[in-house]
Amino acid sequence: MSPELWWLLLIVPLVSAGLCTVVLRRWPTFSAAVSVGSALFCFGLVLWGIVSGTAAPPQWEWLKVGEFVISLEFFLNELSTLMLVVVTGVGLLVHVYSLGYMAHDEARSRYFGGLSLFMFSMTGIVVSDNLVMVFIFWELVGLSSYVLIGHWYWRQAASAAANKAFLMNRIGDLGFLLGIIVVYLTFGTLNLGELRELAPKYFMAMDKAGAAHTVAQPALLPTLIALGLFCGAVGKSAQFPLHVWLPDAMEGPTPVSALIHAATMVAAGVYLLARLFFLISLSTLALEIIAWVGGITAVLAALMAMQQNDIKRVLAYSTMSQLGLMVLAVGLSDPNAAMFHLTTHAFFKALLFLAAGAVIHALDHDQDIWKMGGLAKKMPIVFGTFLIGTLALTGCPGLSGFFSKDAILSAAQVKGKWGLFWLTVGTSTLTAFYMMRLITVAFLGEPRSEKAQHPHSVGWVMVLPLLILSVPSVISGYGEVIPRWLAGKEYHHHEHALIVYAVGIAAFFVGVILSALLYLGKKQDPLSLKLLRERFYLDEIYNNFFVRGFDVLGAICCAFDRWCVMGIGVKSVSLSFSLAGHLFRFLVNGDVRLYTFLMTLGVVILIFWSR
Amino acid sequence: MEQVLLWLAIVAPFIGFVLILAGVHPRWTAIAVTFVAFTSGAFLYATTGGGIEIIADAWKVKWLELPLVGRVDFGFNIDGVSMPLLLLSVAVSFAAVLVSSNVKDRNAEFYSLILLISGGASAAFTSIDLIGMYVFHELALIPTFLLISRFGYGAGRASVATRMAVFLMLGSLLALVGIVGLLQMMPEQVRTSNLQEMRQFFSSTPPVEGVPSWVFSVLIIGFGVLFGLFPFHSWAPAAYAACPAAVAMLHAGVLKNFGIFVLLVGPFTMFPIFGNDEFVRFMVPILGALAACNMLLLGLAALRQDRLDVTIGYISLMHMGYLVLGLLADDVFTLSSVVMLMFSHGLATAALFAWISYLRPTSSTLWINDLTGAGCKSPELMFAFGLAMMASIGLPGLAPFAGEILLFLNAFEKRTLLTLTAMVGLIVSAVILLRIYRKVFQLKGLATHDQKVYSFGLCERFTAILLGGLLIMFGIFPKWLSEPAFETILALKEQTADIKVVRLGYGTE
Amino acid sequence: MSPAKIGVKIGRGKVITLGHYIAVSGLLFCIGLLGVLIRRSVLIIYMCLELMLTAAALAFVAFSRFNGCIDGQVMVLFIITVAAAEVAVGLGIIVAWFRLQRETDVEGMKHLRF
């Protein structure tokens, strides 16, 4: 395959996005066709590219200032090709699914345009070999997210959610940008290829004694770089401080949630960390912080998921939690484990979201699980696929999630980080708990509402992707195919310790059984933990502190500008002029004697002055 | 060939002015003339590669011989710094004229004055002579006052126009004093305000006594008033609120950049201004603090404004802070980024002002609370405004981002704190504009004003394609902007003299 | 003989020099100036104005006499003529004004401003 064809991977979705949004707005069927066609094309191109194994295309200069060049180059190693497969594959399935889900929506063109824009930007993140280009596509992904979450923008909640997502991402991007600047200042280049050469030599250069040592130390600059780049991941992958946008993002259409907020966009943060691992690993302190942030996010999100009543929100928190685990894995210096989990997670989470979307679609857009029930009998295929996805997610032995989660546990155990180990175990237990809760309440038991009694049927266009996704959810863990692929030549097979297997399986069973006991046959939630249900009040804290704080700051600045600068500064000038006018007014009042007096005075002064 | 295009681009609006006064249909003349100017400008841009090649042997003539100022030449030429600004000027003029379809009575007055502004702006940027630049800028400025007081909005428009007039005239006066002070450094016989010759003179025979530093301070303050540096910005927001759309587009988008432009081609590239201790110790921290105030204080003040146009006015002032950062970092890269940002933010601001004017109910100002949900009725307007808004907040893929990233990367080392402030400013502007977008365009049906549903006619589509297209095009291909700017500024910097800047008085140390 | 030494003999040894004449003239001028500044009645002001003119004329005559040239006395003729014309015009204005106002105060002339 000729290298130039790789450009089409970017150009086709971009053109599709442009066409859908601008030209084909009034013909939604055409837009849908164009968009799905472009997704199909991209997937096919990726597969063909992998199979025929070609070199990357030549670079394209984006910005050139003298000798400083920022260019778009493709870097295709195992990591990026894996991610490309995931992105284009899941993307294609979501496109197809959307044909059914959004069939009655009037703004389909805008929707498909947004989807294509997303595909363009995400592919850009995956293949770019220059930090600034990654940043560009990073922000464009944020834009696509904004457009798609706010698809039904006339709804208060949706437009607020889109706003929140964009702003939180921007805050993370600020850190990302800082990291990029420090990279530029430290290494003098933004090209990942060159950085790969330079980074390992960083500490060697620092050692004055000349002995080459590559042990990473918590030196200032690498830590700043790592934390800066991590900020981007925190924003994009919804890790602890910047996580509040992800649950709200569920206001978007479900296929969007599946694609963007489960499988790909949020995974971009993890992907970034894995791709730039050679930079991040320069600082052990940063790795510690990353691991703990991931761990905390995982646990917090799992706790919050336990008490949510909206089917999509449960899945959203679950995503957050799993992302935390992936970030944790990166912090444990095992990016391959993180990417393994990312891949399996992409499949089963997308499956779960799409299945949930089918349920929502069937129940006329009702998302409260306490209004569902008994759907296992009414929608067997959807239930089957949802169950497969759940089992994969909770780490049921034998399915893909089990293997990838075990990889993470094993990494923690091998490095001796028992705190993080037990954190992961706790998260797994909680995951099993709330997912079983979801299944029990939504699918088992008796229908709890009119809609659940008579769900609409779901078209094959929506069921097919579910079936297709079930397959990798089951098998993608087997044979260690993915870790082998990722590690390439450096792969060495090591058996996980027994404790890892034991604890993993135990967590699964404990969570499932507890949940089944608590929730089978109940009509309302027996557990009522307000703190968790209100998501630790973090939303409210952010709102009151930051949003109101901003407003207060704005009010102060506004008042300062109006009263001080304008009132004092400008008014003083104008007042002085009018004062002068008032003073001189008295000289011209028509009084003849004043005039003669002043004339005389003037003459006297002239006489004395001219002496 | 390029000469003809250049002269056409500059003179066309003036010809239009004359034609309108002679009685030809105002709107059609204006559209035709600005279209001619725009196409010539675009062709010129393409053929000269964005201004990399200066027009050799451009026609010029000795215009005046004034006592303090010396010989003043008249002529136009382009280089990497002035070509983008010329393109900006002609593009925005065309858009401004297209957008003014709501001006129905006293058309002739309106369009003739707009053409004066447009021609004056184009001429100001491409003039080869410092005094020429000044004169054309004044020519462009004066119709603004007339237009605001006659065709503006709001009851207090006359007083707002007067305030703006006096403020800007005071600033121009200060700037003129600075220019004269600068020219005094040349001896009587060779004194000229032709920029090229000034540069040659200063690089070949630097004045023995050095250049007094008060000259730079006065120049910076004078031009600071013109582009809205922090304490001197008060004329801007209220003025933009009262302006008709075309005037706001031309002024905020094009004329505001004039101050920075002159500072760029004048003091900052003619003299090694940062070599002087006193300047670095006093003016730079002050300027830095003022720029930070521009970025943060004015940005935050924009959060609490009730009127849409005032908010956009504050946002445009915020962008000026970035330009000052670029000047202060004194690096060829950051100076190139200043050129890029002038162009791109000018386009984005003009676009913003264009689109909000469509939300304006007849003859009143744009109170945000009254406009809730107004834009919802017009999807094209939503899209166009959204594009302009995203450009303003620095979304990659649109023109301003390239300049911003170049600026941040290169200014970080020298002016760390200020660059950090600038980056925070990105978030602030995002907060403000997104909030406005949400309130005005997304929340449905709560508008209390009786809004006409605005449907996009041919003119509006053209403007959208023009402005949006330029923003996207230079976002995808920023090297078309950056290369010429870089080459030109590199050449200018290489010519910079090794002059010492003295502390006291006028001439002697 | 020097002009300053030319004096008019009056009695035993005392001579009236130029200085005396100039002093008188100056005094007269100052009295006239003071009158113009201080007096309230328009006619008195006018008379003081005439006094100032007369003082100037006296100075001219004195210089003419003591310098031996006739130019000063010619100047005085001019002064008298001009004074006469000015009086005619001025009195005309004053009379017209008083036909209107019926008072002699100069404060009343403030209204001429409007």
Side-chain angles (χ1 to χ4, degrees):
Chain A
M1 180 174 112
S2 102
E4 265 71 29
L5 279 184
W6 281 112
W7 288 120
L8 287 177
L9 197 60
L10 287 175
I11 294 179
V12 166
L14 184 60
V15 167
S16 154
L19 282 177
C20 289
T21 330
V22 179
V23 177
L24 295 172
R25 223 162 36 84
R26 265 173 264 247
W27 300 285
T29 338
F30 278 115
S31 310
V34 166
S35 187
V36 174
S38 76
L40 187 61
F41 176 81
C42 288
F43 184 56
L45 190 64
V46 166
L47 286 181
W48 188 23
I50 296 179
V51 161
S52 58
T54 53
Q59 64 185 37
W60 173 69
E61 280 180 357
W62 177 68
L63 176 65
K64 182 171 177 331
V65 187
E67 277 165 17
F68 174 75
V69 178
I70 296 179
S71 57
L72 175 57
E73 317 175 31
F74 278 53
F75 182 76
L76 298 167
N77 65 351
E78 295 81 18
L79 181 62
S80 46
T81 39
L82 176 66
M83 193 72 182
L84 268 180
V85 169
V86 170
V87 168
T88 47
V90 176
L92 175 62
L93 289 171
V94 167
H95 272 80
V96 170
Y97 182 90
S98 305
L99 286 174
Y101 192 84
M102 305 290 284
H104 303 294
D105 193 285
E106 306 126 14
R108 260 178 297 160
S109 297
R110 184 158 46 91
Y111 174 82
F112 280 108
L115 273 186
S116 291
L117 182 65
F118 173 77
M119 294 301 292
F120 164 71
S121 332
M122 192 68 209
T123 320
I125 293 184
V126 173
V127 302
S128 285
D129 202 30
N130 181 302
L131 273 177
V132 172
M133 288 311 280
V134 172
F135 184 77
I136 292 178
F137 288 112
W138 195 262
E139 288 240 13
L140 282 176
V141 164
L143 174 71
S144 325
S145 171
Y146 175 77
V147 165
L148 286 169
I149 296 177
H151 179 69
W152 294 309
Y153 56 80
W154 45 87
R155 270 201 239 153
Q156 256 268 30
S159 101
N163 220 4
K164 200 187 228 177
F166 192 81
L167 283 173
M168 298 241 119
N169 266 309
R170 222 170 211 214
I171 296 177
D173 290 350
L174 188 66
F176 192 7
L177 194 57
L178 255 174
I180 293 181
I181 295 180
V182 180
V183 166
Y184 182 62
L185 288 176
T186 319
F187 294 103
T189 173
L190 290 167
N191 185 302
L192 288 180
E194 292 172 27
L195 284 173
R196 273 186 207 101
E197 312 284 321
L198 291 173
K201 304 194 188 100
Y202 181 75
F203 286 107
M204 282 195 252
M206 302 287 286
D207 185 2
K208 292 187 179 60
H213 65 97
T214 50
V215 174
Q217 313 144 0
L220 178 66
L221 279 176
T223 313
L224 269 179
I225 292 176
L227 287 179
L229 297 172
F230 182 53
C231 264
V234 167
K236 195 65 78 182
S237 297
Q239 296 303 293
F240 169 55
L242 296 176
H243 66 278
V244 291
W245 65 271
L246 189 55
D248 286 4
M250 297 300 120
E251 295 289 335
T254 311
V256 168
S257 308
L259 182 60
I260 299 188
H261 303 124
T264 43
M265 182 181 108
V266 291
V270 179
Y271 174 73
L272 182 78
L273 290 176
R275 198 122 192 254
L276 298 178
F277 187 69
F278 62 92
L279 268 182
I280 298 177
S281 58
L282 286 177
S283 164
T284 45
L285 178 62
L287 284 176
E288 275 293 311
I289 297 179
I290 290 176
W292 280 99
V293 168
I296 294 176
T297 309
V299 160
L300 272 182
L303 284 172
M304 292 195 270
M306 268 169 56
Q307 285 284 294
Q308 299 301 316
N309 294 329
D310 179 333
I311 187 173
K312 280 176 72 173
R313 287 218 154 68
V314 174
L315 293 177
Y317 282 105
S318 162
T319 307
M320 208 192 293
S321 176
Q322 298 301 308
L323 287 169
L325 287 183
M326 293 178 219
V327 170
L328 176 68
V330 172
L332 290 171
S333 300
D334 197 353
N336 288 339
M339 285 305 295
F340 185 19
H341 195 58
L342 190 154
T343 315
T344 57
H345 175 265
F347 294 128
F348 55 68
K349 197 41 81 56
L351 171 60
L352 283 170
F353 264 107
L354 291 182
V359 167
I360 295 173
H361 189 81
L363 294 186
D364 251 346
H365 290 277
D366 190 354
Q367 298 177 213
D368 187 354
I369 55 176
W370 292 103
K371 295 219 183 72
M372 302 176 190
L375 291 173
K377 297 191 203 74
K378 309 262 164 84
M379 307 170 65
I381 306 184
V382 174
F383 172 62
T385 50
F386 198 91
L387 187 62
I388 293 179
T390 309
L391 290 176
L393 172 57
T394 51
C396 176
L399 279 83
S400 59
F402 173 67
F403 293 104
S404 53
K405 212 177 285 196
D406 263 4
I408 301 181
L409 277 174
S410 171
Q413 181 257 337
V414 160
K415 299 243 167 30
K417 306 258 201 236
W418 293 105
L420 293 167
F421 181 82
W422 291 110
L423 217 54
T424 313
V425 172
T427 311
S428 307
T429 321
L430 286 170
T431 308
F433 182 81
Y434 64 70
M435 284 313 288
M436 197 57 206
R437 167 180 181 263
L438 190 56
I439 291 225
T440 320
V441 172
F443 289 93
L444 303 179
E446 292 305 315
R448 272 178 232 100
S449 78
E450 190 49 45
K451 285 189 197 164
Q453 289 267 8
H454 308 286
H456 301 311
S457 60
V458 177
W460 67 269
V461 169
M462 285 169 62
V463 168
L464 188 61
L466 297 180
L467 292 172
I468 296 180
L469 277 173
S470 315
V471 175
S473 304
V474 174
I475 66 168
S476 58
Y478 286 131
E480 304 222 325
V481 172
I482 294 180
R484 249 186 249 268
W485 166 265
L486 281 175
K489 290 186 268 300
E490 295 150 16
Y491 179 73
H492 56 275
H493 179 84
H494 66 263
E495 275 296 322
H496 297 171
L498 196 60
I499 181 167
V500 169
Y501 282 124
V503 165
I505 296 177
F508 170 71
F509 278 110
V510 166
V512 165
I513 294 174
L514 249 175
S515 169
L517 284 177
L518 265 178
Y519 285 97
L520 256 176
K522 296 286 194 318
K523 288 241 189 301
Q524 51 175 347
D525 205 327
L527 278 182
S528 180
L529 301 162
K530 188 136 195 257
L531 185 65
L532 299 184
R533 197 168 44 246
E534 298 298 332
R535 303 159 314 236
F536 294 100
Y537 296 104
L538 278 171
D539 272 314
E540 283 78 20
I541 294 176
Y542 279 3
N543 204 28
N544 284 321
F545 193 62
F546 288 110
V547 178
R548 300 266 174 86
F550 239 120
D551 275 339
V552 166
L553 262 180
I556 295 176
C557 289
C558 187
F560 178 74
D561 187 51
R562 202 173 285 176
W563 302 117
C564 293
V565 176
M566 181 82 97
I568 300 180
V570 177
K571 286 264 160 62
S572 69
V573 172
S574 64
L575 270 180
S576 64
F577 276 109
S578 54
L579 260 177
H582 277 291
L583 277 174
F584 285 110
R585 186 161 67 91
F586 294 105
L587 283 178
V588 195
N589 59 357
D591 188 0
V592 179
R593 296 168 74 194
L594 183 64
Y595 293 169
T596 36
F597 173 68
L598 290 174
M599 268 193 272
T600 322
L601 200 60
V603 170
V604 167
I605 291 177
L606 269 175
I607 291 176
F608 280 105
W609 196 26
S610 63
R611 273 155 153 261
Chain B
M1 181 56 200
E2 287 94 13
Q3 277 241 44
V4 172
L5 284 175
L6 179 62
W7 277 87
L8 198 57
I10 297 174
V11 168
F14 292 111
I15 297 181
F17 174 70
V18 170
L19 283 177
I20 292 182
L21 288 183
V24 186
H25 188 281
R27 188 168 161 76
W28 293 344
T29 324
I31 293 182
V33 155
T34 45
F35 177 70
V36 166
F38 172 64
T39 37
S40 338
F43 266 123
L44 188 62
Y45 195 88
T47 49
T48 57
I52 286 189
E53 311 140 26
I54 306 183
I55 299 176
D57 302 325
W59 181 77
K60 69 171 196 270
V61 72
K62 177 178 131 170
W63 187 16
L64 298 167
E65 182 94 39
L66 298 172
L68 281 177
V69 159
R71 184 181 48 136
V72 176
D73 285 336
F74 176 80
F76 303 110
N77 205 333
I78 47 138
D79 58 13
V81 176
S82 51
M83 184 70 234
L85 291 171
L86 175 66
L87 184 64
L88 175 70
S89 169
V90 289
V92 171
S93 321
F94 188 35
V97 167
L98 281 174
V99 150
S100 306
S101 52
N102 60 336
V103 176
K104 298 282 192 312
D105 40 282
R106 301 202 304 255
N107 265 8
E109 206 178 309
F110 183 80
Y111 284 107
S112 55
L113 290 173
I114 295 275
L115 287 179
L116 262 188
I117 300 181
S118 156
S122 309
F125 286 122
T126 51
S127 175
I128 55 173
D129 189 289
L130 202 49
I131 296 289
M133 283 181 190
Y134 184 83
V135 165
F136 281 114
H137 175 75
E138 293 300 304
L139 178 64
L141 216 44
I142 293 176
T144 326
F145 318 140
L146 294 171
L147 283 169
I148 297 180
S149 41
R150 301 294 287 272
F151 296 93
Y153 302 105
R157 61 182 183 264
S159 78
V160 162
T162 318
R163 185 164 73 217
M164 173 183 170
V166 174
F167 220 129
L168 288 178
M169 281 184 195
L170 279 175
S172 312
L173 192 62
L174 268 179
L176 188 60
V177 168
I179 292 179
V180 168
L182 202 60
L183 289 168
Q184 289 299 314
M185 291 302 103
M186 304 166 79
E188 281 279 348
Q189 311 90 288
V190 292
R191 193 178 296 162
T192 171
S193 55
N194 184 320
L195 268 174
Q196 187 81 332
E197 295 179 21
M198 275 175 84
R199 279 201 197 99
Q200 276 167 355
F201 174 80
F202 280 121
S203 57
S204 58
T205 53
V208 173
E209 305 98 10
V211 179
S213 58
W214 68 262
V215 171
F216 293 127
S217 314
V218 167
L219 272 174
I220 290 176
I221 295 180
F223 285 109
V225 173
L226 289 181
F227 70 75
L229 190 58
F230 172 60
F232 315 115
H233 66 280
S234 321
W235 55 269
Y240 290 139
C243 272
V247 178
M249 288 167 73
L250 279 169
H251 195 93
V254 183
L255 285 178
K256 254 233 199 98
N257 293 322
F258 181 74
I260 301 265
F261 170 71
V262 175
L263 285 178
L264 182 63
V265 297
F268 279 85
T269 45
M270 253 196 250
F271 304 99
I273 210 174
F274 288 90
N276 169 238
D277 260 349
E278 184 187 281
F279 184 79
V280 171
R281 246 182 313 126
F282 290 119
M283 275 307 277
V284 167
I286 295 179
L287 262 186
L290 292 180
C293 286
N294 253 66
M295 291 190 261
L296 276 188
L297 218 143
L298 293 185
L300 286 170
L303 256 179
R304 296 286 290 179
Q305 298 301 328
D306 318 314
R307 287 189 295 177
L308 194 52
D309 32 17
V310 176
T311 314
I312 310 279
Y314 272 105
I315 304 255
S316 74
L317 284 173
M318 217 174 113
H319 293 317
M320 294 296 143
Y322 289 74
L323 298 176
V324 175
L325 168 61
L327 285 179
L328 283 179
D330 187 42
D331 184 32
V332 187
F333 294 105
T334 56
L335 291 175
S336 317
S337 77
V338 166
V339 175
M340 294 167 75
L341 281 176
M342 276 200 278
F343 177 79
S344 13
H345 274 307
L347 271 180
T349 312
L352 279 173
F353 275 114
W355 304 128
I356 66 175
S357 74
Y358 282 106
L359 294 169
R360 198 191 291 269
T362 41
S363 73
S364 110
T365 48
L366 299 164
W367 292 88
I368 295 184
N369 287 327
D370 290 341
L371 285 171
T372 312
C376 207
K377 302 180 187 142
S378 172
E380 291 101 344
L381 189 61
M382 262 185 82
F383 182 71
F385 187 86
L387 190 66
M389 170 186 81
M390 286 296 169
S392 234
I393 65 181
L395 189 77
L398 296 170
F401 175 73
E404 279 173 9
I405 189 88
L406 193 60
L407 179 66
F408 294 151
L409 280 175
N410 291 293
F412 191 78
E413 202 162 23
K414 286 197 188 146
R415 308 266 170 245
T416 314
L417 210 55
L418 205 54
T419 314
L420 284 172
T421 318
M423 287 162 67
V424 173
L426 278 182
I427 296 191
V428 174
S429 62
V431 170
I432 299 169
L433 282 173
L434 282 175
R435 198 184 273 199
I436 290 180
Y437 191 69
R438 215 181 124 219
K439 208 160 187 202
V440 174
F441 286 95
Q442 293 189 323
L443 299 180
K444 201 182 210 178
L446 302 171
T448 53
H449 256 283
D450 176 32
Q451 299 278 342
K452 260 190 334 196
V453 175
Y454 204 90
S455 62
F456 256 35
L458 190 62
C459 281
E460 287 76 33
R461 280 181 211 272
F462 227 82
T463 317
I465 296 177
L466 174 65
L467 292 174
L470 276 175
L471 280 171
I472 294 180
M473 194 169 76
F474 283 102
I476 302 184
F477 300 103
K479 64 180 176 189
W480 292 348
L481 267 182
S482 63
E483 284 202 80
F486 178 76
E487 297 298 321
T488 308
I489 293 184
L490 194 61
L492 290 183
K493 277 262 167 186
E494 274 161 10
Q495 261 192 315
T496 306
D498 184 24
I499 306 177
K500 66 182 194 301
V501 178
V502 303
R503 167 193 292 263
L504 301 168
Y506 189 83
T508 51
E509 174 77 273
Chain C
M1 282 215 247
S2 84
K5 295 240 173 93
I6 299 177
V8 176
K9 277 200 185 220
I10 41 164
R12 288 169 290 145
K14 291 229 171 132
V15 178
I16 298 180
T17 60
L18 179 58
H20 295 98
Y21 281 94
I22 300 304
V24 168
S25 167
L27 224 52
L28 273 178
F29 187 85
C30 286
I31 293 171
L33 184 59
L34 218 55
V36 167
L37 288 178
I38 291 179
R39 299 299 295 253
R40 294 184 62 151
S41 167
V42 181
L43 286 170
I44 305 287
I45 290 177
Y46 223 73
M47 284 195 279
C48 295
L49 219 43
E50 292 305 309
L51 196 55
M52 286 158 77
L53 276 170
T54 313
L58 180 60
F60 269 116
V61 170
F63 276 117
S64 153
R65 167 76 175 85
F66 283 93
N67 286 349
C69 57
I70 201 105
D71 299 357
Q73 302 187 28
V74 173
M75 199 57 207
V76 172
L77 281 176
F78 276 110
I79 289 178
I80 293 175
T81 318
V82 166
E86 172 215 341
V87 165
V89 171
L91 279 180
I93 296 177
I94 292 176
V95 165
W97 178 251
F98 280 107
R99 282 215 190 108
L100 222 51
Q101 295 296 111
R102 293 265 170 244
E103 63 170 356
T104 60
D105 204 304
V106 81
E107 297 286 325
M109 290 211 156
K110 257 198 206 174
H111 300 297
L112 278 172
R113 184 162 82 108
F114 297 112

